[in-house]
Amino acid sequence: MRRSVPLLLAAAALTGPLAVPAAAANPTPITSPYVQAAADVTAAGVLKRAKNIDWVRHVNTGRYCVKVSNQVNLAFSVVQVELPNSNRRSFSTTPNAICGTNAVTVYTYDLNGNYVDNPFTAAVL
């Protein structure tokens, strides 16, 4: 019994850091000078790369909120969303009750109009 406790603690120590991806806590910066804000997001809603993005939230299947930093004024901007999978489509709106102020709502769906999770990139020009 005494030997199993140290082994259990060692196993927990080894798996703890693997449970939270590094990209979720600290996304790689995007340094493009031609966009005000940008996000590279996984299908699960994890922010992999970012510029002037505060957070991303996966609201429901195929629905995401992308909170843009307050230094970017979405009222005077153009938002472009791209999906890497060509048989999927996307739609975005700003701002609305789902995601709040200064946020982009991204919807991803298949060709039949069904919501599906999909990785995407968003750029605020």
Side-chain angles (χ1 to χ4, degrees):
M1 182 71 174
R2 287 185 173 204
R3 288 185 183 171
S4 64
V5 172
L7 291 175
L8 184 61
L9 292 175
L14 289 175
T15 58
L18 300 176
V20 178
N26 192 13
T28 303
I30 295 175
T31 57
S32 174
Y34 303 107
V35 296
Q36 297 181 74
D40 184 5
V41 181
T42 69
V46 175
L47 185 60
K48 293 183 351 184
R49 300 182 319 130
K51 176 182 179 179
N52 292 329
I53 301 294
D54 293 341
W55 48 261
V56 173
R57 187 172 63 224
H58 185 226
V59 179
N60 205 336
T61 302
R63 288 158 263 207
Y64 306 85
C65 294
V66 180
K67 174 66 170 80
V68 179
S69 173
N70 287 333
Q71 68 190 37
V72 177
N73 186 344
L74 285 177
F76 298 106
S77 303
V78 173
V79 177
Q80 180 178 355
V81 176
E82 294 290 330
L83 305 177
N85 192 345
S86 63
N87 68 348
R88 305 269 171 93
R89 301 291 180 252
S90 70
F91 176 79
S92 64
T93 62
T94 61
N96 63 40
I98 294 173
C99 294
T101 60
N102 225 47
V104 175
T105 307
V106 176
Y107 302 96
T108 60
Y109 49 93
D110 63 18
L111 296 178
N112 294 322
N114 301 311
Y115 288 113
V116 291
D117 290 341
N118 205 91
F120 65 91
T121 58
V124 179
L125 312 170

